[in-house]
Amino acid sequence: MPEDLPIAIPLDGASNLRDLGGWQMADGRRLRLGHLYRSATLAHLTERDVETIASLGLRTVCDLRGVEEAAHRPSRLPTGAERIHLPIEPTVGASLADLMRRELSTGEDVVDLLRRAYLDYGTRFISAYRGLFDLLLEPERHALLFHCSAGKDRTGLAAALILTALGASRETAMEDYRATDRIWRRDLALPPGTPKPLADALYATHPELLEAALDAAVEAHGGAMPLLLERGLGLNASRLERLRNLLLE
């Protein structure tokens, strides 16, 4: 994989912002730079950050956070960028609180929670990702940024679905996902007193969980990737060709 990908954009009040462009597809084409971005929450941007994001020419920001998450920490956006809320509710909060009350809880317990969440993202919340693809098919909405709170799990699946739909290999999608480990500053606050093993598991990437989410999404929509694209994400042959022509070069 290219050592200079993904292209990270440093900010003061946020992290994990990067251009999704540059990744190569199986047919040799590459995702265009300057069209798609992914990030963690945009709630704590400084004035300089807002100027940096404005320079990207964003027209659409897709917020994948749950309803309460988004209301509690509203995004700061530059003028001209429209926020579209495609809520994917987090499913680990209450269970995490239960784990914290149990003295013998481990990082593996957290991974089990995250596994259930990832499987939900790929099945129960597939309509949110379908909404994202609907927006991607509107060229007047580019440049487009999508994000959740950490920019890791829900956003990671979004990026993997996009790359896969465009024709990237599974390994390319995983490479983009694993880049969070070196780009994200782990600046998402956890509940006070979260034990280090639990925090480490929450902050880490889990490629095996992303693979499981992709596999579950495929299985839930006929057992083949083309069926997931068509039935789950609304990408019939003509829409898929249009998407690739819009985003690939």
Side-chain angles (χ1 to χ4, degrees):
M1 291 298 171
E3 293 181 0
D4 57 344
L5 292 178
I7 299 170
I9 300 164
L11 299 172
D12 297 320
S15 66
N16 213 6
L17 171 61
R18 73 284 271 275
D19 194 325
L20 203 61
W23 293 113
Q24 187 170 354
M25 306 299 127
D27 65 3
R29 290 189 287 177
R30 291 185 181 274
L31 180 50
R32 298 178 192 273
L33 292 168
H35 281 254
L36 285 182
Y37 297 88
R38 54 174 291 183
S39 78
T41 178
L42 304 177
H44 308 295
L45 300 183
T46 65
E47 290 300 326
R48 184 167 68 171
D49 292 339
V50 173
E51 292 176 5
T52 297
I53 288 183
S55 72
L56 303 178
L58 290 184
R59 296 181 181 176
T60 310
V61 173
C62 295
D63 189 343
L64 303 177
R65 295 177 297 170
V67 173
E68 290 188 11
E69 280 178 287
H72 187 57
R73 294 184 175 87
S75 297
R76 292 197 67 193
L77 300 180
T79 301
E82 179 186 5
R83 174 181 172 268
I84 304 293
H85 196 194
L86 300 172
I88 300 174
E89 296 296 336
T91 58
V92 300
S95 299
L96 177 61
D98 290 340
L99 287 184
M100 289 181 60
R101 284 193 289 267
R102 292 180 1 215
E103 292 183 4
L104 299 180
S105 295
T106 67
E108 280 302 312
D109 293 322
V110 172
V111 173
D112 287 341
L113 286 183
L114 289 172
R115 180 175 291 107
R116 294 200 293 273
Y118 269 74
L119 294 177
D120 269 354
Y121 300 156
T123 54
R124 190 155 64 94
F125 292 104
I126 199 69
S127 61
Y129 295 111
R130 182 175 183 139
L132 175 58
F133 278 96
D134 287 342
L135 296 171
L136 291 177
L137 281 160
E138 300 178 24
E140 66 275 11
R141 290 197 169 276
H142 301 178
L144 181 148
L145 179 149
F146 55 96
H147 75 93
C148 54
S149 288
K152 175 172 73 79
D153 305 313
R154 290 164 287 186
T155 295
L157 180 55
L161 289 170
I162 291 169
L163 289 169
T164 300
L166 293 175
S169 67
R170 178 70 68 93
E171 178 52 36
T172 294
M174 291 300 125
E175 188 76 10
D176 176 74
Y177 173 77
R178 286 191 293 264
T180 288
D181 281 330
R182 66 177 189 271
I183 296 173
W184 185 41
R185 294 196 299 257
R186 276 72 175 165
D187 43 8
L188 181 69
L190 294 178
T194 301
K196 187 177 185 301
L198 276 61
D200 288 346
L202 285 166
Y203 283 148
T205 58
H206 300 279
E208 73 283 2
L209 301 189
L210 181 58
E211 297 241 27
L214 290 169
D215 291 343
V218 168
E219 187 62 30
H221 294 88
M225 181 57 70
L227 295 177
L228 167 63
L229 296 179
E230 182 170 0
R231 297 176 183 176
L233 300 173
L235 297 171
N236 59 26
S238 63
R239 280 166 64 87
L240 184 58
E241 181 181 13
R242 184 153 61 91
L243 181 72
R244 290 176 174 175
N245 288 337
L246 277 173
L247 293 177
L248 300 180
E249 60 182 6

